[in-house]
Amino acid sequence: MSEKTGDVVIGIDLGTTNSLAAIVGKDGPRILTREDGAALIPSVVSFLDDGGHLVGEEARARSVTHPRSTVHSVKRLMGQHLEEVRRREGDRLGYEVVATEDSELARVRIGDKLYTPQEISALVLREVKRVAEQALGHEVEQAVITVPAYFDDSQRQATRDAARIAGLQALRIVNEPTAAALAYGLDTSREGTVVVYDLGGGTFDVSVLKITQGVYKVAATAGDTHLGGDDFDHEIMDRILHAVRDHVSATATIPVEALQQIRLSAEGLKRQLSERQDAHLEIDLGLDEPIAFRITRQEFEAAVRPRLDETLACCRAALKDAGVTPDQVDEVVLVGGSTRIPLVRALVEEMFGRTPHTELDPDRVVALGAAIQADVLSGGNKDLLLLDVIPLSLGIETVGGAFAKLVTRNSTVPARATEMFSTSVDDQTSIEINVFQGERELVRDCRPLGAFKLRGLPGMPAGLPRVEVTFLVDADGVLTVKAREQRSELEASIDVVPSHGLTRDEVKDIIRDSIKEARSDFAARELIELRNKAHNLATGTRRVLAMPEMPFTDAQRKDIEDDLARLDTLSKGEDVAALREACDAFGDKTQALADQAIGEAIKAELNREQSRLPS
Ligand code: AMP
């Protein structure tokens, strides 16, 4: 691929803290840098009083002086409910996050203006686009953008929307760990398991990838959205403050500006400790003499060890989820600035029994991998194919509130599934398809994703319409649901853009609940299914009884009516076993009647056992 063409595709790492772009050129992948050589663009937007705004380094510089009008970490808000953001972030963000009357989704309020997270992300992306265009000398309109592996449909959709607002077409949304593995060119012709350990400034993620013939599959993820370099800075900061208070007074209040200075100094010391055994600092607070502070690598390591142990526990959990042991891992890749800390490298090496890949700059590997995928999409490299998995099962509501899963959790995308359904009531002229996501048996315990109606059906007896429902999940994890009634050829569909996102922890909770509640869920579902069965048996039988040609004696009719009445009573109760027995017995009896007296069409009427959709 030539870099001179107008239809280049760039790779973008849209990070919580920093963003950057890369491209595959004649000499391989490279980062696109700013005029001054800087590669990392802080993902920060600062709004000015005159209505303008700053993005990047200039914006970050204002985060101390103008915290209320400077937006950082907006990635934590993408596609999220206000409630979720409040619960997870507390008042950590510094700027105001609100919801509007017509939507529960989180927005940012600056003065009297509201911004969606997508709009703010778009401002960051526009700056990335500008840097890329200036570096390449021509316009850029297409990109591959990375997101965390645990991002759900709505968070991916929000990322896509941000790109569109910024004037970029997101050709593909790729998982960050997958991009990191790609950057290392981990041999895609082989089978293998790769662990990506990503420790940044504010978040920790670990992903287990399985590679099979060029296909990357995220087998498991784990992590902590509030664990990273900032915590390590705080450890050093606390020790500096201790030293200051020892010098001044135990209760001295330290001015905000001084605190900020101390935080920056702490980060500087931390970075030095990645190279040296000790680091020191003189703090000038305008007293007689500056205060001297010294910290050794050993002290630093002891201070951060508990948090690093937490990351190892996450690694173990992810391995367990993926069903692999540490010695089955073929490669380990380190991502994120905090993996420069020697203790991190040593602990990861110890855990997996192999030296992790650190050859590439841990701040750049995701962008480089995104560029490689961009190159694939623009036709430069035809040997790679990327696939990921969907985190939660997808399906529709059937009569009685049962959840029929069409695409199960962990299916590889793109995925497609088709199932036949029918109606539960005679003469239905419209059918509502309610789409849900989750692992439980009843839709009331799952997340609604959307609903649509198939209208204008010619009235038909219950069970007669044949409704083919198709789920299609594209390569980015976006879902399209289509329903088609085969007799009338009526068709309707929706693209599902869920109303709010899920965090990885919530996905975990959903899966855990589904295991915990499995017994009662199955019982509840069986009751619903038996009630449906009883209803279908009764409808079919009544229809047959009404047929004039049926040679039933009055005694036979009365016997059947009695059975139907009993089925009706049992259906209203909760006794699963009794209802099951009654259904089976009645099914056998009607079958015998059908065999004895009637033709195939009537048999079919009695045997119609399709899942029914709610009316
Ligand atoms: P990221 O979010 O991936 O950009 O990572 C940023 C984090 O990496 C910040 O907390 C930095 O302080 C930290 N970091 C960058 N360089 C080093 C280093 N040499 N040693 C320790 N931490 C570092």
PDB file of all heavy atoms in Angstrom, residues 8 34 43 105 119 159 193-194 201 205 222 292 359-360 381 394 402 431 450 501 508 533 552 558 575:
ATOM      1  N   VAL A   8      -5.987   5.932   2.357  1.00  0.00           N
ATOM      2  CA  VAL A   8      -5.259   5.180   3.374  1.00  0.00           C
ATOM      3  C   VAL A   8      -6.157   4.953   4.575  1.00  0.00           C
ATOM      4  O   VAL A   8      -7.084   5.710   4.842  1.00  0.00           O
ATOM      5  CB  VAL A   8      -4.000   5.918   3.886  1.00  0.00           C
ATOM      6  CG1 VAL A   8      -2.935   5.965   2.831  1.00  0.00           C
ATOM      7  CG2 VAL A   8      -4.356   7.271   4.408  1.00  0.00           C
ATOM      8  N   ARG A  34       3.384  14.303  15.988  1.00  0.00           N
ATOM      9  CA  ARG A  34       3.038  15.704  15.830  1.00  0.00           C
ATOM     10  C   ARG A  34       4.227  16.476  15.265  1.00  0.00           C
ATOM     11  O   ARG A  34       5.341  15.961  15.231  1.00  0.00           O
ATOM     12  CB  ARG A  34       2.726  16.268  17.222  1.00  0.00           C
ATOM     13  CG  ARG A  34       1.350  16.856  17.327  1.00  0.00           C
ATOM     14  CD  ARG A  34       0.966  17.043  18.757  1.00  0.00           C
ATOM     15  NE  ARG A  34       1.926  17.868  19.504  1.00  0.00           N
ATOM     16  CZ  ARG A  34       1.569  18.624  20.538  1.00  0.00           C
ATOM     17  NH1 ARG A  34       0.315  18.673  20.905  1.00  0.00           N
ATOM     18  NH2 ARG A  34       2.467  19.309  21.200  1.00  0.00           N
ATOM     19  N   SER A  43      -5.772  12.266  25.964  1.00  0.00           N
ATOM     20  CA  SER A  43      -7.198  12.229  25.621  1.00  0.00           C
ATOM     21  C   SER A  43      -7.960  13.182  26.547  1.00  0.00           C
ATOM     22  O   SER A  43      -8.784  12.756  27.355  1.00  0.00           O
ATOM     23  CB  SER A  43      -7.738  10.810  25.766  1.00  0.00           C
ATOM     24  OG  SER A  43      -6.936   9.890  25.073  1.00  0.00           O
ATOM     25  N   LEU A 105     -28.461   8.055  29.628  1.00  0.00           N
ATOM     26  CA  LEU A 105     -27.042   7.975  29.290  1.00  0.00           C
ATOM     27  C   LEU A 105     -26.267   9.151  29.867  1.00  0.00           C
ATOM     28  O   LEU A 105     -26.771  10.264  29.954  1.00  0.00           O
ATOM     29  CB  LEU A 105     -26.875   7.947  27.774  1.00  0.00           C
ATOM     30  CG  LEU A 105     -27.336   6.663  27.081  1.00  0.00           C
ATOM     31  CD1 LEU A 105     -27.201   6.794  25.579  1.00  0.00           C
ATOM     32  CD2 LEU A 105     -26.542   5.472  27.575  1.00  0.00           C
ATOM     33  N   GLU A 119     -19.295  13.010  21.604  1.00  0.00           N
ATOM     34  CA  GLU A 119     -18.856  14.302  21.057  1.00  0.00           C
ATOM     35  C   GLU A 119     -17.470  14.670  21.580  1.00  0.00           C
ATOM     36  O   GLU A 119     -16.638  15.208  20.846  1.00  0.00           O
ATOM     37  CB  GLU A 119     -19.857  15.397  21.446  1.00  0.00           C
ATOM     38  CG  GLU A 119     -21.158  15.317  20.683  1.00  0.00           C
ATOM     39  CD  GLU A 119     -22.192  16.278  21.227  1.00  0.00           C
ATOM     40  OE1 GLU A 119     -22.569  16.166  22.414  1.00  0.00           O
ATOM     41  OE2 GLU A 119     -22.619  17.160  20.469  1.00  0.00           O
ATOM     42  N   THR A 159     -18.208   4.335  20.176  1.00  0.00           N
ATOM     43  CA  THR A 159     -16.873   4.625  19.619  1.00  0.00           C
ATOM     44  C   THR A 159     -16.992   4.905  18.117  1.00  0.00           C
ATOM     45  O   THR A 159     -16.391   5.846  17.588  1.00  0.00           O
ATOM     46  CB  THR A 159     -15.925   3.436  19.882  1.00  0.00           C
ATOM     47  OG1 THR A 159     -15.929   3.168  21.281  1.00  0.00           O
ATOM     48  CG2 THR A 159     -14.514   3.729  19.418  1.00  0.00           C
ATOM     49  N   THR A 193      -1.652 -19.737  22.325  1.00  0.00           N
ATOM     50  CA  THR A 193      -2.356 -18.945  23.333  1.00  0.00           C
ATOM     51  C   THR A 193      -1.456 -17.778  23.723  1.00  0.00           C
ATOM     52  O   THR A 193      -0.282 -17.971  24.024  1.00  0.00           O
ATOM     53  CB  THR A 193      -2.665 -19.811  24.574  1.00  0.00           C
ATOM     54  OG1 THR A 193      -3.449 -20.915  24.145  1.00  0.00           O
ATOM     55  CG2 THR A 193      -3.419 -19.032  25.621  1.00  0.00           C
ATOM     56  N   VAL A 194      -2.010 -16.592  23.675  1.00  0.00           N
ATOM     57  CA  VAL A 194      -1.244 -15.388  23.988  1.00  0.00           C
ATOM     58  C   VAL A 194      -1.925 -14.660  25.138  1.00  0.00           C
ATOM     59  O   VAL A 194      -3.148 -14.505  25.130  1.00  0.00           O
ATOM     60  CB  VAL A 194      -1.198 -14.440  22.767  1.00  0.00           C
ATOM     61  CG1 VAL A 194      -0.436 -13.165  23.096  1.00  0.00           C
ATOM     62  CG2 VAL A 194      -0.575 -15.136  21.561  1.00  0.00           C
ATOM     63  N   GLY A 201      -2.066   3.898  33.072  1.00  0.00           N
ATOM     64  CA  GLY A 201      -2.055   4.903  34.119  1.00  0.00           C
ATOM     65  C   GLY A 201      -3.206   4.690  35.098  1.00  0.00           C
ATOM     66  O   GLY A 201      -3.059   4.882  36.299  1.00  0.00           O
ATOM     67  N   ASP A 205      -5.881  -4.437  32.533  1.00  0.00           N
ATOM     68  CA  ASP A 205      -6.620  -5.464  31.799  1.00  0.00           C
ATOM     69  C   ASP A 205      -5.701  -6.621  31.503  1.00  0.00           C
ATOM     70  O   ASP A 205      -4.551  -6.411  31.141  1.00  0.00           O
ATOM     71  CB  ASP A 205      -7.015  -4.958  30.398  1.00  0.00           C
ATOM     72  CG  ASP A 205      -8.048  -3.901  30.474  1.00  0.00           C
ATOM     73  OD1 ASP A 205      -9.157  -4.215  30.885  1.00  0.00           O
ATOM     74  OD2 ASP A 205      -7.730  -2.742  30.126  1.00  0.00           O
ATOM     75  N   ALA A 222     -10.004 -10.153  32.148  1.00  0.00           N
ATOM     76  CA  ALA A 222     -10.230  -9.795  33.550  1.00  0.00           C
ATOM     77  C   ALA A 222      -9.506  -8.473  33.769  1.00  0.00           C
ATOM     78  O   ALA A 222      -8.745  -8.029  32.900  1.00  0.00           O
ATOM     79  CB  ALA A 222      -9.681 -10.873  34.487  1.00  0.00           C
ATOM     80  N   ALA A 292      14.500  17.407  51.934  1.00  0.00           N
ATOM     81  CA  ALA A 292      15.058  16.334  51.104  1.00  0.00           C
ATOM     82  C   ALA A 292      14.208  15.082  51.252  1.00  0.00           C
ATOM     83  O   ALA A 292      13.753  14.750  52.355  1.00  0.00           O
ATOM     84  CB  ALA A 292      16.492  16.038  51.537  1.00  0.00           C
ATOM     85  N   GLU A 359       9.817  -5.766  23.499  1.00  0.00           N
ATOM     86  CA  GLU A 359      10.654  -5.112  22.485  1.00  0.00           C
ATOM     87  C   GLU A 359      10.023  -3.824  21.968  1.00  0.00           C
ATOM     88  O   GLU A 359      10.714  -2.866  21.653  1.00  0.00           O
ATOM     89  CB  GLU A 359      10.893  -6.047  21.289  1.00  0.00           C
ATOM     90  CG  GLU A 359      11.478  -7.407  21.617  1.00  0.00           C
ATOM     91  CD  GLU A 359      10.407  -8.453  21.918  1.00  0.00           C
ATOM     92  OE1 GLU A 359       9.636  -8.230  22.883  1.00  0.00           O
ATOM     93  OE2 GLU A 359      10.313  -9.456  21.212  1.00  0.00           O
ATOM     94  N   LEU A 360       8.711  -3.788  21.866  1.00  0.00           N
ATOM     95  CA  LEU A 360       8.048  -2.587  21.357  1.00  0.00           C
ATOM     96  C   LEU A 360       7.695  -1.672  22.527  1.00  0.00           C
ATOM     97  O   LEU A 360       7.505  -2.134  23.650  1.00  0.00           O
ATOM     98  CB  LEU A 360       6.767  -2.958  20.600  1.00  0.00           C
ATOM     99  CG  LEU A 360       6.940  -3.785  19.326  1.00  0.00           C
ATOM    100  CD1 LEU A 360       5.580  -4.203  18.778  1.00  0.00           C
ATOM    101  CD2 LEU A 360       7.700  -2.977  18.272  1.00  0.00           C
ATOM    102  N   ASN A 381      -2.316  -6.439   3.290  1.00  0.00           N
ATOM    103  CA  ASN A 381      -1.899  -7.734   3.822  1.00  0.00           C
ATOM    104  C   ASN A 381      -3.103  -8.666   3.809  1.00  0.00           C
ATOM    105  O   ASN A 381      -4.092  -8.421   4.484  1.00  0.00           O
ATOM    106  CB  ASN A 381      -1.379  -7.545   5.255  1.00  0.00           C
ATOM    107  CG  ASN A 381      -0.886  -8.848   5.852  1.00  0.00           C
ATOM    108  OD1 ASN A 381      -1.269  -9.931   5.417  1.00  0.00           O
ATOM    109  ND2 ASN A 381      -0.035  -8.740   6.850  1.00  0.00           N
ATOM    110  N   LEU A 394     -27.443 -13.780  22.988  1.00  0.00           N
ATOM    111  CA  LEU A 394     -28.438 -12.890  22.397  1.00  0.00           C
ATOM    112  C   LEU A 394     -29.637 -13.731  21.971  1.00  0.00           C
ATOM    113  O   LEU A 394     -29.469 -14.851  21.475  1.00  0.00           O
ATOM    114  CB  LEU A 394     -27.848 -12.207  21.154  1.00  0.00           C
ATOM    115  CG  LEU A 394     -26.601 -11.373  21.391  1.00  0.00           C
ATOM    116  CD1 LEU A 394     -25.898 -11.066  20.072  1.00  0.00           C
ATOM    117  CD2 LEU A 394     -26.971 -10.073  22.100  1.00  0.00           C
ATOM    118  N   ALA A 402     -40.253 -16.389  28.440  1.00  0.00           N
ATOM    119  CA  ALA A 402     -39.041 -17.212  28.363  1.00  0.00           C
ATOM    120  C   ALA A 402     -38.064 -16.565  27.382  1.00  0.00           C
ATOM    121  O   ALA A 402     -38.456 -15.812  26.490  1.00  0.00           O
ATOM    122  CB  ALA A 402     -39.385 -18.614  27.909  1.00  0.00           C
ATOM    123  N   ILE A 431     -46.774  -9.205  15.095  1.00  0.00           N
ATOM    124  CA  ILE A 431     -45.970  -9.972  16.049  1.00  0.00           C
ATOM    125  C   ILE A 431     -44.859  -9.066  16.538  1.00  0.00           C
ATOM    126  O   ILE A 431     -44.179  -8.427  15.733  1.00  0.00           O
ATOM    127  CB  ILE A 431     -45.343 -11.195  15.352  1.00  0.00           C
ATOM    128  CG1 ILE A 431     -46.438 -12.149  14.892  1.00  0.00           C
ATOM    129  CG2 ILE A 431     -44.370 -11.905  16.281  1.00  0.00           C
ATOM    130  CD1 ILE A 431     -45.911 -13.313  14.085  1.00  0.00           C
ATOM    131  N   GLY A 450     -33.809  -4.135  22.360  1.00  0.00           N
ATOM    132  CA  GLY A 450     -34.626  -3.438  21.375  1.00  0.00           C
ATOM    133  C   GLY A 450     -35.824  -4.283  21.023  1.00  0.00           C
ATOM    134  O   GLY A 450     -35.910  -5.446  21.415  1.00  0.00           O
ATOM    135  N   GLY A 501     -24.496   0.665  28.225  1.00  0.00           N
ATOM    136  CA  GLY A 501     -23.434  -0.339  28.163  1.00  0.00           C
ATOM    137  C   GLY A 501     -23.282  -1.135  29.438  1.00  0.00           C
ATOM    138  O   GLY A 501     -23.923  -0.878  30.436  1.00  0.00           O
ATOM    139  N   LYS A 508     -19.549 -10.143  34.232  1.00  0.00           N
ATOM    140  CA  LYS A 508     -19.177 -11.221  35.148  1.00  0.00           C
ATOM    141  C   LYS A 508     -20.329 -11.542  36.095  1.00  0.00           C
ATOM    142  O   LYS A 508     -20.674 -12.696  36.321  1.00  0.00           O
ATOM    143  CB  LYS A 508     -17.957 -10.767  35.963  1.00  0.00           C
ATOM    144  CG  LYS A 508     -16.803 -11.738  35.799  1.00  0.00           C
ATOM    145  CD  LYS A 508     -15.770 -11.560  36.870  1.00  0.00           C
ATOM    146  CE  LYS A 508     -14.768 -10.495  36.587  1.00  0.00           C
ATOM    147  NZ  LYS A 508     -13.885 -10.067  37.570  1.00  0.00           N
ATOM    148  N   LYS A 533     -47.187 -25.495  26.297  1.00  0.00           N
ATOM    149  CA  LYS A 533     -47.515 -26.768  25.680  1.00  0.00           C
ATOM    150  C   LYS A 533     -48.986 -27.094  25.914  1.00  0.00           C
ATOM    151  O   LYS A 533     -49.713 -27.495  24.992  1.00  0.00           O
ATOM    152  CB  LYS A 533     -46.625 -27.861  26.290  1.00  0.00           C
ATOM    153  CG  LYS A 533     -46.717 -29.189  25.601  1.00  0.00           C
ATOM    154  CD  LYS A 533     -45.657 -30.139  26.133  1.00  0.00           C
ATOM    155  CE  LYS A 533     -45.804 -31.485  25.473  1.00  0.00           C
ATOM    156  NZ  LYS A 533     -44.799 -32.425  25.946  1.00  0.00           N
ATOM    157  N   PHE A 552     -66.152 -38.319  16.755  1.00  0.00           N
ATOM    158  CA  PHE A 552     -66.085 -38.555  18.203  1.00  0.00           C
ATOM    159  C   PHE A 552     -67.464 -38.840  18.792  1.00  0.00           C
ATOM    160  O   PHE A 552     -68.444 -38.191  18.413  1.00  0.00           O
ATOM    161  CB  PHE A 552     -65.508 -37.320  18.918  1.00  0.00           C
ATOM    162  CG  PHE A 552     -64.058 -37.104  18.608  1.00  0.00           C
ATOM    163  CD1 PHE A 552     -63.603 -35.840  18.257  1.00  0.00           C
ATOM    164  CD2 PHE A 552     -63.152 -38.147  18.694  1.00  0.00           C
ATOM    165  CE1 PHE A 552     -62.273 -35.625  17.983  1.00  0.00           C
ATOM    166  CE2 PHE A 552     -61.809 -37.926  18.420  1.00  0.00           C
ATOM    167  CZ  PHE A 552     -61.373 -36.673  18.055  1.00  0.00           C
ATOM    168  N   LYS A 558     -66.670 -35.627  25.967  1.00  0.00           N
ATOM    169  CA  LYS A 558     -66.753 -35.212  27.373  1.00  0.00           C
ATOM    170  C   LYS A 558     -65.419 -35.536  28.077  1.00  0.00           C
ATOM    171  O   LYS A 558     -64.895 -34.721  28.845  1.00  0.00           O
ATOM    172  CB  LYS A 558     -67.918 -35.939  28.044  1.00  0.00           C
ATOM    173  CG  LYS A 558     -67.890 -35.899  29.562  1.00  0.00           C
ATOM    174  CD  LYS A 558     -69.196 -35.384  30.117  1.00  0.00           C
ATOM    175  CE  LYS A 558     -69.208 -35.146  31.624  1.00  0.00           C
ATOM    176  NZ  LYS A 558     -67.984 -35.026  32.325  1.00  0.00           N
ATOM    177  N   ASP A 575     -47.501 -26.356  40.111  1.00  0.00           N
ATOM    178  CA  ASP A 575     -46.993 -27.720  40.265  1.00  0.00           C
ATOM    179  C   ASP A 575     -46.443 -28.248  38.931  1.00  0.00           C
ATOM    180  O   ASP A 575     -47.176 -28.764  38.092  1.00  0.00           O
ATOM    181  CB  ASP A 575     -48.132 -28.611  40.786  1.00  0.00           C
ATOM    182  CG  ASP A 575     -47.628 -29.993  41.183  1.00  0.00           C
ATOM    183  OD1 ASP A 575     -46.521 -30.369  40.735  1.00  0.00           O
ATOM    184  OD2 ASP A 575     -48.339 -30.691  41.925  1.00  0.00           O
TER     185      ASP A 575
END
